[in-house]
Amino acid sequence: MRKVKLEKDIVKGILNDLLKRSPVNYGTYTETVNAIVDDIKNRKDEALFEYTKNFDNADVNASNILVTNEEIEEAFSLVGSDLVETMEKAAANIREYHEKQRQYSWFDYKEDGSILGQKVSAIYSAGVYVPGGKAAYPSSVLMNIIPAKVAGVKELIMCTPPSKEGKVNPGTLVAAKIAGIDRVYKVGGAQAIAAMAFGTESVPKVDKIVGPGNIYVALAKKAVYGYVSIDSIAGPSEILVLCDDCATPKYVAADLLSQAEHDELASAILVTTSERVADEVNKEIEGFLKTLSRSEIIKKSLDNYGYILVADDLDMAIDVVNEIAPEHLEIVTKDPFNTMTKVRNAGAMFLGEFSSEPLGDYFAGPNHVLPTNGTAKFFSPLSVDDFIKKSSIIAFSKEALENASEDIIKFAEAEGLTAHANSIKVRFNK
């Protein structure tokens, strides 16, 4: 990894490099994706089955697009019992964490007879997209489905691409069943997003679509936003480790590589106040690359988006963290909890050298669907909040409205909206 002494211009250059990875910048694919979305919207199942044949080489039709109970049972037989038990433990942790995010309706009663409040309701239906093939991650299945179930979503479906034999990844099916999915459909890509957004004869329309995917999936979610809600348009994975001289270089190196192995566009950045740690982390990375199975991918990721940034002091280092706003942030300093209070922008924070990032990916409980490409400045991790909506409640008695009537009329007339004012006046005209 390239080691750089921190300066403002350096940070700007890094940010520009990282932002180039965002799906919103992949305009060359937009026309293709929009054509698929429009075709599904117009021809529904007919187009859906054609794209599945063309892209996945699978013969899917109205009679076999829905995963059966027998296929789910087969998936459990193909996944080892040890892994099933691990998924169940992880699901329990994820469920327990998200239960604490529940919100409840409230009402405020006043003596004049007015009632103000907020009614919290779950979104009625949601769709979860899950990639297939080499990018099948059961952990993401748990992370997307469980918050929706905790929120109380009534109809929760999942779309995932089938193999050419018409099968769904067994690990994906097992995780979906453990998490509580209602139905699973064998369809992937931009066509699956469009099917859930507009509905076809086989796939129902939903109110919100969540879940990761490739550039076609990301752009399809962008295209259907407004017809349905979406979680976000996620970019490649990223990790930033913030540390001082107390960090163990071997641990830091291992954690940086844990994200760099995702793909060539993944980002791994070390920000440290210690020249010694910077140099030793680089040496440890070289050693790990000789043994890791995905070393070729890691090398490309580090060559393109890997940095070791050396800061003069911790305050400068924290400023850089807030500017980059990383998806995953590990804080390995003498007092990580105090350092954490100064960080404004990060998707998830891991405090101390034994809070390794994969702990969050798989097992701890907080959601691993996180804002990327600097969007942690204004977005939050996927949560129960993503599957609820709020309605304002207003109930006034005659006395309460009369007390407020003059102020309402003044406001309405000041804006030139006489019908608004009249709506109040007619109730109190002698």
Side-chain angles (χ1 to χ4, degrees), residues 387-426:
F387 298 97
I388 63 170
K389 54 192 181 65
K390 302 166 186 175
S391 302
S392 301
I393 303 297
I394 303 169
F396 269 42
S397 66
K398 181 178 180 181
E399 177 190 354
L401 181 61
E402 189 169 17
N403 290 339
S405 60
E406 288 188 13
D407 290 321
I408 300 169
I409 291 167
K410 285 178 186 176
F411 229 139
E413 289 179 342
E415 293 185 348
L417 300 176
T418 55
H420 280 64
N422 184 62
S423 172
I424 303 299
K425 289 179 179 178
V426 296

Side-chain angles (χ1 to χ4, degrees), residues 127 129 193 196-197 206-211 221 224 228-231:
Y129 184 81
I193 302 300
M196 290 190 283
V206 299
D207 298 319
K208 183 161 190 168
I209 300 171
V210 301
K221 287 169 72 176
V224 301
V228 294
S229 178
I230 62 171
D231 50 352

Side-chain angles (χ1 to χ4, degrees), residues 4 26 47 59 68 76 87 116 173 230 280 324-325 352 372 422:
V4 181
Y26 292 171
D59 292 313
T68 64
F76 272 86
M87 286 189 198
L116 299 177
L173 281 185
I230 62 171
E280 290 187 16
I324 294 175
T372 58
N422 184 62

